[in-house]
Amino acid sequence: MGQPIRSLGERGVIDAIRSAAPSDMNGDDAAVLSPSSFASKTVCSTDLLVEGQHFRSDWSTPYDVGRRAVVQNFADIEAMGARPVALLLGVAAPPNLDSDVLTGIARGIADEAGRWPAELVGGDVVTSERLTLSITAIGELAGPAPALSLSGAHPGQTLIASGRLGYSAAGWALLEHFGSPDAIPDSEHLQTLVDAFRVPSLARARGTVARSTGATAMTDNSDGLVVDLSTIARASHVTIDLDKDAIAPDPAVREAARLLGRDPMEWICQGGEDHALLATTGADIPSGFRFLGRVHKQGAEPLTIDGQPPTFTLGWDPFGGESFAGESSGRE
């Protein structure tokens, strides 16, 4: 056990975080990053995690929370076709929070960010009634090719994906149903789903691979597959048609659906926070990606599955819980 962070004071809290996630660039008023090439551009994104809304301490360890914070922010950088290089951390925490919680979060951040590699280079700490983390991710977009924007999809292109679909939502459903990780039946498939909710999987450098091989639009599956792809379709003035066989649930998702009496396609279509990368390309499917569907001229619906409107159309909305895919989805 550590000690209440109020006994450390602001400087002690910062020192504890820096010790758990060390960087030579952290410690001044601001960090100075050196781009790897003259032609590079800086890409930035920010995201919040609030205890009780985005994570629960009885479901996830502080280390898990730190890793999750990096994944959901670096997914936004990867989705632009850029390479994550650094991040900043803002912490609002109750004064009686155990210091081991913050150092555990910081270690998770350092280890996950180090896979790119990137470093925690600064931030801020304040008091709050509820533990809240704010991550600002910084990336580098090298070379002359444009960023992979939401509006870059074109008719005739292929829709491709890298990453799992429905895993995080299925893991969350298992935890909600059984109430505790220890109460979930012993199953490798079910444990994989729970782990995917705690820390979604994001393969390193898939965004830069897609951009370098001809992808034109990309996003990550954060608000739900139907919602996120509808956002690309509307921004690009196209219709995206998903191949039903390509998005069929795998054995792990099917096992959870049987156990809970749910339709697995609900998690595939509506479940977000897998942070799978979803892109359109007119070139060959690059390594690490798979076929998911096709892009057509704009029709009556922004998104279809085998030519038909999807049955499940909801996704995550931070202010309403769920939103229809036909409405605008807020994005940072």
Side-chain angles (χ1 to χ4, degrees):
M1 291 288 290
Q3 52 188 309
I5 59 174
R6 64 169 176 265
S7 66
L8 298 178
E10 180 182 16
R11 175 48 54 188
V13 169
I14 293 173
D15 288 345
I17 293 173
R18 289 183 62 196
S19 176
S23 170
D24 292 339
M25 290 180 282
N26 192 350
D28 214 315
D29 290 328
V32 179
L33 308 181
S34 300
S36 61
S37 68
F38 177 76
S40 67
K41 300 179 180 67
T42 300
V43 179
C44 301
S45 181
T46 190
D47 217 342
L48 286 166
L49 289 89
V50 180
E51 185 173 18
Q53 182 175 347
H54 300 99
F55 66 91
R56 285 176 46 170
S57 58
D58 56 334
W59 287 359
S60 301
T61 67
Y63 184 79
D64 291 337
V65 173
R67 293 183 60 203
R68 178 188 178 92
V70 172
V71 167
Q72 71 181 58
N73 281 273
F74 279 9
D76 288 334
I77 301 298
E78 288 270 0
M80 301 302 293
R83 179 178 68 90
V85 295
L87 54 87
L88 304 169
L89 170 66
V91 178
N96 62 346
L97 182 75
D98 193 300
S99 60
D100 282 353
V101 173
L102 286 187
T103 55
I105 290 172
R107 279 193 291 271
I109 288 173
D111 287 353
E112 190 67 26
R115 293 199 302 113
W116 265 264
E119 294 179 0
L120 176 63
V121 298
D124 192 20
V125 293
V126 297
T127 59
S128 172
E129 293 183 1
R130 183 183 296 189
L131 177 60
T132 301
L133 309 177
S134 174
I135 295 281
T136 298
I138 302 168
E140 182 181 82
L141 192 71
L148 302 180
S149 67
L150 294 169
S151 59
H154 303 288
Q157 291 187 325
T158 301
L159 176 70
I160 58 177
S162 174
R164 297 161 166 167
L165 298 176
Y167 268 54
S168 182
W172 180 85
L174 287 166
L175 288 165
E176 183 186 44
H177 179 83
F178 289 101
S180 165
D182 296 334
I184 296 174
D186 186 19
S187 162
E188 183 177 350
H189 280 159
L190 300 183
Q191 186 59 53
T192 298
L193 297 174
V194 170
D195 290 344
F197 168 76
R198 289 168 167 161
V199 185
S201 176
L202 180 65
R204 183 175 66 88
R206 291 283 165 79
T208 55
V209 167
R211 177 170 170 261
S212 66
T213 55
T216 59
M218 183 180 282
T219 191
D220 70 298
N221 180 24
S222 56
D223 296 331
L225 182 66
V226 171
V227 166
D228 288 324
L229 288 178
S230 293
T231 300
I232 286 184
R234 292 184 180 278
S236 299
H237 305 290
V238 298
T239 288
I240 294 175
D241 184 47
L242 286 164
D243 184 289
K244 187 174 182 179
D245 291 337
I247 62 170
D250 68 9
V253 176
R254 291 200 303 269
E255 181 177 333
R258 285 194 300 269
L259 179 65
L260 302 183
R262 302 279 290 274
D263 186 335
M265 289 304 294
E266 177 185 354
W267 297 328
I268 298 291
C269 292
Q270 297 184 166
E273 296 190 337
D274 283 307
H275 300 293
L277 296 180
L278 311 168
T280 63
T281 183
D284 293 338
I285 298 177
S287 175
F289 285 80
R290 65 187 184 278
F291 170 81
L292 216 62
R294 305 226 177 253
V295 184
H296 301 292
K297 291 182 179 180
Q298 188 173 33
E301 300 287 340
L303 185 120
T304 56
I305 300 177
D306 282 356
Q308 300 299 314
T311 301
F312 299 103
T313 60
L314 297 178
W316 175 249
D317 183 314
F319 298 104
E322 292 178 320
S323 66
F324 286 100
E327 299 178 359
S328 175
S329 175
R331 309 191 67 85
E332 287 77 15

